[in-house]
Amino acid sequence: MPFELVQLQPLERGYLRVLRIRSAIGWTILSAIAAAADAILHVRTGVSPGVVAGPVVLLGVLATIVLVPRRWRRWGYAFTDSELHVARGWLTRVHTVVPVSRVQHIDVSQGPIERGAGVAVLSLHTAGTENSLVVLPGISRLRAEAIRDAIRGRISDAPW
Amino acid sequence: MNAPDVSTAGEDRAPRRLDPRTILIRSLQGSPSLVLGLPVFVAWSRGEGFPLGLLLAGTGLLLTVTLFVSWLRWRAFTYRILPGQLVIAHGLIKRTRRSIPAERIQDVSIKQGLLARLFGLAEVRIETGGGEADEGQLDSVSLSEAHRLRQVLRSIRTHGGVARAEGGEEEAAETLLFRMELPRLVYSGVFRFSMVWIAAIFGLLQYADQALGYGWDRWLEMLGLAEQALQSRLDITVVMGLSGFALAFGLLAGIVRTVLRNFGFELTHAEARFRYRRGLFTRTEVVVAKRQIQLGLVERGAVSGRMGWRAFKVQTLGGGDHVSGRQELAPFARPDELAPIIALAGLPPSEPSRLRSVSPWHIVSGVIGFVATPAVTLLAATAFFPLAGLLLATLPVFLAVALLRRRCHRYGLASTSVQVRRGVLTRRDWTIPYGNVQAVSVTRGPVQRLLGVCTVRIDTAGGRGLNRPHVHDIDEADAAAFVGDLIQRVESFRRGTSLSAT
């Protein structure tokens, strides 16, 4: 039974693509290292090639196809006009609530892969310690800017 | 240009340097291992056949280099008071110039370490409430300069310009809130019984051992002899005597540590600012502004708490000399002594009747975490180290803690603050005014998801380290209601203050 404080919205599908590409890049690098290790091992000890690289490639394919969508599905967010909710995490679920008036400043950023997928990252800075930076990735740029402007309007009339 | 003790307003514009004696202190502080380790090294290397002259020359060279670098750093470090700001410039290769606007300065604390006291120096820390990185530190200036700086900085903060520095104009008279006399100090030390120190002393012994060139095997040999001697008459009296000795030692260690730390503890208050002084060798004087206070924490020790003693701490935004970001305003006091301090700190009183218990699953998760998991680990470990089985004997204690856990854990929303109580042995009561809650997180680990409970973490500014006001294992439905209500109160609090401000 899912427990949520509010109705959460999923992230953009574009972000799933971002996660997939990132995962693919990471696993490709790992596979390359594994292949190199394989080659060395083969020359040195004569073990049949593919002992190291095989499982790594398999794991990579599995992660990119099966695990990444699961991770993506675990994200969720909601913006009511007084607070921002961000939920994430697979093994340990974390649901963070930031009251809008406690936001110190806001960034909207886009990396190259994200630009291609049409998503942006919204970062909220608070004066807290554990949650001094609350990051919400994978929402459309328009949505991110709308939230930013709504929050900006709210914090400008706070005492500091 | 940089005479440290002249103090007229005009000269403040010129950059000043730290007290030259700092160079010596820095080199001494920077190389305690050098000072202490040298005799050891000499003794050892003599045995290896190094010529003494070469050694002395090497040491001399090292000392010269250390002193020279310290001198360069001293020369590169300047500070100046300009209208409306304090400017600190430092760095040999990478020059850094930090200017601290006067209105950002929360306060100026003075700290004197043992070496600094011998030389009549003090470290001045300019607290801005912006965390470690934004703070100014002048280590060290002469004590009179430190006091002068504090007055000048305070006056530019309040009057907006460089005001007359001297004239001895003290701030409004401070009222004494709390003081620890020696009998109470020693008494409080009794409860700080610590076995850790015994380990430390053994460590020291081992060090001294090397210094004296007295081999470890020699100790073992002696131990073996002692054991043989003991075994012949190992009876209950010997065991009792030994454990009695250990107890007495732990007791003494606790008292000594407490006296060193809290000697002459004094808490005063003036103009929405607390000031405490403490310490025998390292004398610390810290100012805590009321507006810096993020939350209050009352600690009730396992034994001393039952006898009616409490400690009161506050968490501040930056500043202080505590790793945890917490400052102890009263280390050992009666509740009726604490009440006025808590009120002056602007913290609402504790309202235990409004607090509720967490889910009964809290006990189960405690049993899993404190008893079952260690038991399995220990049992696995006994397969390799049979001695680990002895640790299994401590498990009943953990079981008791796990069973009592829920009774000692409460949370609730009072009229102006969220309050959390937690702790079986040491009971801690947190009070966090709604205005200081920065964000709230709800986390659910794998076990918690299985049990349908979650942990609510209340994030405040400057909260680091252990013992933060988390509420563990609330029922999911309760947590949703609690967090929703809390956020609403935080928001409406903000709206209330912003309305009254405009």
Side-chain angles (χ1 to χ4, degrees):
Chain A
M1 28 160 197
F3 143 87
E4 298 307 343
L5 296 166
V6 287
Q7 189 66 41
L8 291 179
Q9 280 177 265
L11 298 186
E12 297 285 323
R13 283 210 75 83
Y15 188 59
L16 177 58
R17 217 158 78 216
V18 174
L19 285 179
R20 278 219 168 109
I21 294 171
R22 277 198 199 140
S23 157
I25 292 174
W27 282 103
T28 309
I29 294 170
L30 267 180
S31 305
I33 295 170
D38 237 8
I40 293 168
L41 220 63
H42 180 62
V43 172
R44 286 272 168 88
T45 61
V47 193
S48 63
V51 177
V52 187
V56 172
V57 170
L58 207 71
L59 220 68
V61 171
L62 191 79
T64 312
I65 292 174
V66 183
L67 296 181
V68 165
R70 289 195 173 199
R71 217 169 74 211
W72 173 80
R73 224 171 294 135
R74 289 294 177 180
W75 280 90
Y77 78 102
F79 180 64
T80 70
D81 48 300
S82 59
E83 71 242 18
L84 180 77
H85 297 252
V86 180
R88 63 178 191 281
W90 173 66
L91 200 59
T92 299
R93 297 275 295 149
V94 181
H95 184 128
T96 306
V97 191
V98 187
V100 162
S101 55
R102 308 334 309 262
V103 174
Q104 301 279 331
H105 57 267
I106 323 161
D107 302 324
V108 174
S109 56
Q110 258 183 325
I113 307 175
E114 282 154 342
R115 214 170 302 141
V119 292
V121 180
L122 179 75
S123 315
L124 303 185
H125 299 256
T126 73
T129 329
E130 227 172 63
N131 293 307
S132 60
L133 178 63
V134 177
V135 180
L136 172 58
I139 53 175
S140 72
R141 180 158 195 126
L142 277 179
R143 180 81 174 123
E145 279 170 358
I147 294 176
R148 181 190 65 190
D149 293 341
I151 294 177
R152 197 167 53 188
R154 286 288 310 272
I155 47 180
S156 57
D157 50 69
W160 69 62
Chain B
M1 187 175 96
N2 43 46
D5 286 332
V6 191
S7 61
T8 60
E11 255 179 325
D12 277 325
R13 308 287 175 93
R16 283 163 180 258
R17 294 218 169 90
L18 300 175
D19 194 287
R21 283 169 289 187
T22 305
I23 306 171
L24 206 65
I25 292 192
R26 281 256 185 87
S27 343
L28 282 178
Q29 275 173 340
S31 51
S33 47
L34 186 75
V35 174
L36 292 173
L38 205 63
V40 182
F41 183 71
V42 169
W44 171 79
S45 53
R46 290 293 286 168
E48 300 285 309
F50 278 98
L52 187 64
L54 196 71
L55 265 174
L56 285 181
T59 317
L61 191 69
L62 203 67
L63 273 176
T64 318
V65 169
T66 317
L67 272 175
F68 182 66
V69 171
S70 296
W71 177 75
L72 278 179
R73 280 177 53 196
W74 171 80
R75 229 178 74 91
F77 193 108
T78 60
Y79 64 94
R80 60 206 292 199
I81 299 172
L82 296 176
Q85 63 177 337
L86 170 76
V87 178
I88 297 174
H90 63 98
L92 267 179
I93 296 154
K94 195 181 121 204
R95 294 283 295 166
T96 313
R97 187 175 178 279
R98 173 183 296 167
S99 77
I100 303 172
E103 69 263 26
R104 289 288 313 283
I105 296 176
Q106 297 276 356
D107 225 299
V108 184
S109 4
I110 296 173
K111 184 181 170 177
Q112 279 188 291
L114 181 61
L115 269 176
R117 276 179 90 182
L118 287 176
F119 285 96
L121 299 182
E123 177 191 329
V124 177
R125 198 183 284 163
I126 292 102
E127 283 165 14
T128 59
E132 208 68 39
D134 304 326
E135 267 165 23
Q137 202 180 12
L138 305 177
D139 179 16
S140 304
V141 294
S142 68
L143 193 59
S144 56
E145 170 72 355
H147 284 296
R148 190 195 70 92
L149 266 171
R150 180 155 73 183
Q151 273 194 359
V152 174
L153 289 174
R154 269 203 192 146
S155 58
I156 62 172
R157 191 171 54 101
T158 43
H159 308 309
V162 177
R164 52 281 138 215
E166 65 265 78
E169 46 145 9
E170 258 305 312
E171 301 259 325
E174 293 184 335
T175 47
L176 183 72
L177 286 178
F178 179 70
R179 170 184 279 162
M180 295 248 290
E181 307 290 353
L182 195 61
R184 185 189 285 199
L185 187 65
V186 172
Y187 185 53
S188 76
V190 171
F191 299 100
R192 296 275 159 90
F193 173 84
S194 93
M195 285 302 207
V196 179
W197 271 64
I198 296 179
I201 285 163
F202 270 112
L204 207 72
L205 267 181
Q206 201 169 341
Y207 178 82
D209 203 44
Q210 284 165 3
L212 297 170
Y214 205 61
W216 183 234
D217 40 353
R218 185 74 187 278
W219 278 108
L220 281 180
E221 194 183 311
M222 271 181 67
L223 221 72
L225 282 176
E227 206 178 301
Q228 274 174 18
L230 267 176
Q231 253 164 7
S232 58
R233 49 185 147 153
L234 186 66
D235 53 23
I236 197 78
T237 42
V238 175
V239 175
M240 292 269 280
L242 274 176
S243 40
F245 177 74
L247 277 175
F249 208 77
L251 204 65
L252 191 71
I255 292 172
V256 167
R257 191 171 58 150
T258 310
V259 170
L260 287 183
R261 197 183 123 83
N262 284 340
F263 185 79
F265 190 97
E266 209 175 69
L267 177 74
T268 56
H269 179 264
E271 290 180 348
R273 257 205 305 264
F274 294 96
R275 182 205 304 273
Y276 66 82
R277 301 176 179 83
R278 61 169 174 79
L280 187 61
F281 292 138
T282 297
R283 194 89 182 125
T284 314
E285 179 178 335
V286 178
V287 176
V288 179
K290 184 181 157 192
R291 50 181 277 214
Q292 273 182 292
I293 295 175
Q294 302 294 312
L295 62 81
L297 168 60
V298 175
E299 280 184 356
R300 180 177 170 279
V303 181
S304 61
R306 293 212 159 57
M307 296 166 75
W309 297 99
R310 306 277 186 277
F312 176 57
K313 298 176 179 178
V314 293
Q315 180 178 303
T316 57
L317 219 178
D321 52 349
H322 264 250
V323 196
S324 63
R326 297 229 176 89
Q327 321 255 10
E328 210 167 21
L329 292 191
F332 199 72
R334 295 284 184 194
D336 54 310
E337 288 172 312
L338 287 184
I341 302 176
I342 294 174
L344 277 172
L347 293 164
S350 160
E351 296 173 52
S353 58
R354 299 180 74 155
L355 303 186
R356 340 178 15 188
S357 289
V358 294
S359 159
W361 289 117
H362 189 50
I363 300 172
V364 177
S365 76
V367 170
I368 296 173
F370 301 164
V371 187
T373 319
V376 170
T377 320
L378 281 176
L379 280 176
T382 36
F384 303 98
F385 315 100
L387 270 179
L390 284 177
L391 285 173
L392 282 169
T394 59
L395 283 181
V397 179
F398 290 97
L399 184 68
V401 168
L403 292 179
L404 286 169
R405 223 171 156 217
R406 180 170 177 257
R407 283 185 52 189
C408 303
H409 191 9
R410 298 179 151 264
Y411 69 98
L413 299 170
S415 39
T416 55
S417 64
V418 46
Q419 303 189 342
V420 179
R421 162 178 297 182
R422 210 176 68 218
V424 176
L425 296 176
T426 301
R427 194 181 81 193
R428 296 187 170 85
D429 278 281
W430 289 267
T431 305
I432 312 144
Y434 291 131
N436 297 337
V437 175
Q438 301 292 340
V440 182
S441 290
V442 181
T443 62
R444 285 178 298 156
V447 178
Q448 286 184 313
R449 284 222 301 277
L450 216 67
L451 301 176
V453 293
C454 50
T455 294
V456 176
R457 305 161 79 102
I458 300 160
D459 195 19
T460 53
R464 289 184 292 261
L466 293 169
N467 301 327
R468 278 175 295 171
H470 303 325
V471 186
H472 294 298
D473 300 324
I474 321 184
D475 270 325
E476 289 182 346
D478 289 347
F482 173 61
V483 172
D485 200 3
L486 172 60
I487 293 291
Q488 210 166 28
R489 284 168 190 251
V490 170
E491 270 295 308
S492 60
F493 174 86
R494 290 309 282 183
R495 225 164 291 142
T497 49
S498 62
L499 278 181
S500 63
T502 45

